Amino acid sequence: MNNKLKNIEIKIVGMHCAVCASNVEKSLKSLDGVLNASVNISSNNAVVEYNDKLVSFEKINKAIESLGFDVVFDEVQLQIDGMHCAVCVANIEKVLNGLNGVKKAIVNLSLQRVHVFYNKNLVSIKDMGEAIESLGFDYIGVAEEIDLSADDERFRKDLKDKRNRIIVGFISSAVLMAIMYLPIENLVSIPFSHHMSMDIHIIGILSLLISIGPFIYVSKPILDGGYKSISHKILDMDVMYSMGILVAFISSTLGTFNIVLDSHFMFYETAIMLASFLSLGRYLESRAKNQTLNSIKQLIGLQPKTATLLIENKEEELDLSKEFDGKNNEIDSFNEKYFEKTIFIEEIAIGDILLVKPGEKIPADGIVINGDSYVDESMISGEPIPKHKNKEKNKVFSGTINQNGILYIKSIKVGRETLLSQIIDLVSKAQGSKPPVQSLADKVVKFFIPTVFIIAILSGLFWYLFNGDKLFALSTVISVLVIACPCALGLATPTAVTVGVGRAAEYGVLIKNGEVLENAGKTKIAIFDKTGTITEGKPEISDIYPVDDNLKFYYPIFIKNQRIMENSNLDSSLNSSLDSSLGSSLDSNLNSNDLNDFLLMITGSLESKSNHPIAKTIVKECQNLKINLFDLDSFENISGKGLKAIYKNKQIIVGNKKILDDENIKISDDLLERYLKLSNEGKTTILIAIENDVLGIIALMDKIKDNAKYTMDSLKSLDIEPMMITGDNNKTAIEVGKKVGIENIISEVLPNEKLDHLINIKTKFSNSIKKDNGNNIIITFVGDGINDAPAISGADVGIALGSGSDIAMDSGDIVLTDDNLENVVVAIEFSKKVIRRIKENIFWAFAYNMILIPIACGILYPIFGIVFRPEYGALAMALSSVTVISLSLLLKNFKPKIKKDENKTY
């Protein structure tokens, strides 16, 4: 009994409180076979002890997911060799999905790779590799651990081998055709040549001797594949092709010796030509598939191999405080204070100081601590114009290219943590995913080969019984076996996804999976956050309006408290004298600048505890003016309203009108009028109060992005309605909406309410649309990926705008590596284009089989006398796969419409 017990640790996402943990425990313990379940809310882990004979791992996962939580799985991409068609894909997915501990396995035929979601406590990578090899395929290893150069070398070697077999096959086929069909007694002067034209038996034996070596050499990979498949009880294309070429060769041999069949069945050249055309198809297919990987290879190629490390001289401290312009004031490499050392990229540690010379690739994500240059960041943003970098604009990313000056950077992210590595990983995973549109092809593939076998046999029997021509009947059997091709069905989706996702990445658009790729193009409503999405997210203070009397009243109290704190080591009598004299001396000397600074000091002290862009602006202004902020006794963030704090028993409030109303703080008519006026101008307006007294107003203006209106107009041209949801006040939101062309606006929304509004919008519009066509509406939400995380996660398609290394890679279904709002439209255009290309590929794959299989059966023979020879069927099969791949490769040249207008103005 104990041997059946297992302990497993499961990572859960979505639990927020002890009640959530309790509900998960209760649900798990209710399962028959679960002995114990313990959930840790702090680590978001569940430890389950269960009997795997009574309850499955899948059932445990479903119990958790039924409560609305998500189970987090480990992920790995495995490299495979030997897959040729959609049947291979289906068989590998079936065996891996059958392993205990595997949640889902998705195979990409064009990449020869499988993406597995699994629990490492139940199943190992070794187990998966063995399962793959048990089907007769070659397991190469974990994809990300495979050396790219070794992979390229393996590809070149395989291509060379295929090419050699093709050459041998066609040359030997030509020789055999000459022997069979040309009057060789006129061509070859040998004593017995005249007997050859008379004795077909001698020609047959000669053809057998000439063909047997080339046949084995050319056909061996196909026959080996067929043998492995049969030995593992799998019907795939290798089995069909093996049967086709073996039937042709064995029939020829039997005909040569008049065993059952006569000399009319000698078509050795057809047997070899079949194998040659099949090899040619795989050769062309391999070359084309390799081209689909160019985008990911280019990304990998961006990774630098070495870096220049600056090492401090032990006798003298490295000093980079002196300013350099990157051109004329370069640091001497032989300076006594440091020396340079070339190291491999893997040796870089966080905090290392690195030297990047003009033309070199930046080796790690970091910040510029000195120097001045332009950096080509087109590989992450898709924008061709180099960006200026210095100590002020200091973020740089691995793989980008330094242009014309020297930069000294401090590494902050290295190895797999760099933005480039994350992009490579994200693109690679996306290329291995399947959009739902592929589901029809997957269903067909399950029945394809058995159906083709039945059609081939029935066709042969029909013609044999109909006209008694065994040769014609046998030819139709061979033709059907070699012409039927699920390869094109298997390649229709992965090749388009691979090329399309890679091309989108070149524009800074990272699409995470196939379902999102399909849904994005169906978007009917695009909802935008305001701050940092439609606007720059870098507000500037535009107005300060102090209430002089109130500020003058509190000024000496706060300054006095600070003074006493600074002189806390003095005795109480001295503090008392300071206390009594300070008020009158300060009050009489205050001017407007003092009052403004005091208002900023109070506001900045609270805002310093917040991460909101507005808070950062106010704190930065205090730093610029060298205003000292005070330490608060307590602090509270009231979501969507403002901030509350206690300082020296005084309550301070900073926020919008809502928070003052909640505290019953009255605003004078004059101040309220000014507050509304500033709000109507589209400015973010902050009220500051101590106790029940309002001290003043600070207004900020957040600049609207230059291309915001152009983006909204472009969405409308795609029949997509833009909307806006924001926590800002209604007046500001409406003003911004007018400027960018958004009419539907929901304002003054708390962050946790955005998802509720999104759901309400979806319900409202979906109900109306269902009346027309029965379909749900697809809603895309666009935000900064941090504050808008719930809405981004809850939308049908969540798009997260990133800003370099701070990008929230996990928050969105689509991640834009730059803050370029146009890329929202780029993502949607790519979705439409790629899904349309997939549908075209699937159509041609189906059309090919539906048209040519009946022709191979001889359906045109009675009326038109047209016969589809087996070797031509093999050629058609080869061309079908190449056609599908070639159509997918056209996506490499796709340029979104929004990017085509070189002269657009904002």
Side-chain angles (χ1 to χ4, degrees), residues 719-905:
D719 198 26
I720 297 171
E721 181 179 359
M723 298 180 66
M724 182 167 66
I725 294 180
T726 177
D728 216 334
N729 66 75
N730 190 49
K731 299 291 186 182
T732 301
I734 290 174
E735 187 66 25
V736 172
K738 284 180 181 178
K739 292 179 179 178
V740 300
I742 297 179
E743 297 177 359
N744 289 319
I745 298 167
I746 303 174
S747 59
E748 300 181 12
V749 177
L750 300 178
N752 61 316
E753 294 175 345
K754 287 184 178 180
L755 179 56
D756 295 333
H757 282 285
L758 188 149
I759 293 171
N760 290 336
I761 293 169
K762 183 175 177 66
T763 303
K764 176 184 174 182
F765 281 89
S766 291
N767 289 338
S768 61
I769 287 179
K770 277 183 178 179
K771 294 176 183 177
D772 298 328
N773 55 23
N775 295 323
N776 279 319
I777 192 169
I778 297 295
I779 291 183
T780 292
F781 186 90
V782 185
D784 62 12
I786 301 171
N787 298 329
D788 302 309
I792 288 176
S793 320
D796 298 306
V797 178
I799 299 181
L801 272 69
S803 54
S805 62
D806 294 329
I807 191 168
M809 283 285 187
D810 294 330
S811 60
D813 301 311
I814 298 174
V815 179
L816 310 182
T817 58
D818 201 4
D819 284 334
N820 189 343
L821 210 55
E822 286 182 11
N823 284 345
V824 172
V825 183
V826 169
I828 292 171
E829 287 193 52
F830 262 105
S831 169
K832 289 177 178 289
K833 184 67 176 180
V834 173
I835 296 302
R836 184 162 59 247
R837 183 53 45 85
I838 289 172
K839 290 178 179 178
E840 290 170 356
N841 286 348
I842 292 175
F843 168 79
W844 286 114
F846 274 116
Y848 160 82
N849 285 289
M850 291 177 68
I851 293 171
L852 293 188
I853 289 178
I855 295 175
C857 289
I859 195 171
L860 298 180
Y861 180 71
I863 303 173
F864 302 104
I866 296 175
V867 180
F868 212 79
R869 291 178 60 86
E871 56 267 38
Y872 298 154
L875 177 61
M877 182 283 305
L879 293 177
S880 69
S881 296
V882 174
T883 300
V884 166
I885 297 174
S886 298
L887 287 172
S888 295
L889 285 172
L890 292 176
L891 290 170
K892 290 172 66 177
N893 301 319
F894 175 64
K895 187 173 185 178
K897 183 179 178 181
I898 197 170
K899 295 291 185 181
K900 287 181 180 178
D901 187 1
E902 303 290 344
N903 301 315
K904 59 191 172 191
T905 56

Side-chain angles (χ1 to χ4, degrees), residues 175-176 179 184 190 192 196 200-212 256 266 268:
V175 172
L176 289 168
I179 292 173
I184 62 173
I190 53 177
F192 54 88
M196 289 184 181
I200 194 69
H201 178 67
I202 296 176
I203 292 178
I205 293 176
L206 180 60
S207 297
L208 174 62
L209 293 174
I210 292 174
S211 66
I212 190 165
T256 299
M266 291 193 310
Y268 291 103

Side-chain angles (χ1 to χ4, degrees), residues 477-492:
V477 171
I478 297 172
S479 295
V480 171
L481 289 176
V482 298
I483 203 171
C485 182
C487 303
L489 284 172
L491 292 168

Side-chain angles (χ1 to χ4, degrees), residues 55 57 107 158 322 359 386 444 462 557 635 705 709 803 833:
V55 62
F57 172 64
V107 175
D158 177 66
K322 183 181 176 183
V444 170
F462 172 81
I557 298 174
F635 172 82
K705 290 181 179 177
K709 188 175 189 312
S803 54
K833 184 67 176 180

Side-chain angles (χ1 to χ4, degrees), residues 553-567:
F553 175 78
Y554 286 102
Y555 188 94
I557 298 174
F558 275 67
I559 299 301
K560 178 187 72 173
N561 281 334
Q562 283 193 313
R563 170 62 74 75
I564 291 172
M565 288 174 63
E566 292 167 3
N567 294 279

Side-chain angles (χ1 to χ4, degrees), residues 182-203:
L182 295 179
I184 62 173
E185 68 272 15
N186 296 329
L187 302 174
V188 183
S189 298
I190 53 177
F192 54 88
S193 64
H194 63 282
H195 295 292
M196 289 184 181
S197 61
M198 302 297 296
D199 193 349
I200 194 69
H201 178 67
I202 296 176
I203 292 178

Side-chain angles (χ1 to χ4, degrees), residues 126-145:
K126 182 182 178 183
D127 295 333
M128 297 179 214
E130 290 174 351
I132 291 167
E133 291 182 334
S134 73
L135 297 177
F137 301 101
D138 295 325
Y139 167 60
I140 307 300
V142 178
E144 63 187 25
E145 296 175 0

Side-chain angles (χ1 to χ4, degrees), residues 343 433 472 778:
I343 61 173
S433 63
F472 185 80
I778 297 295

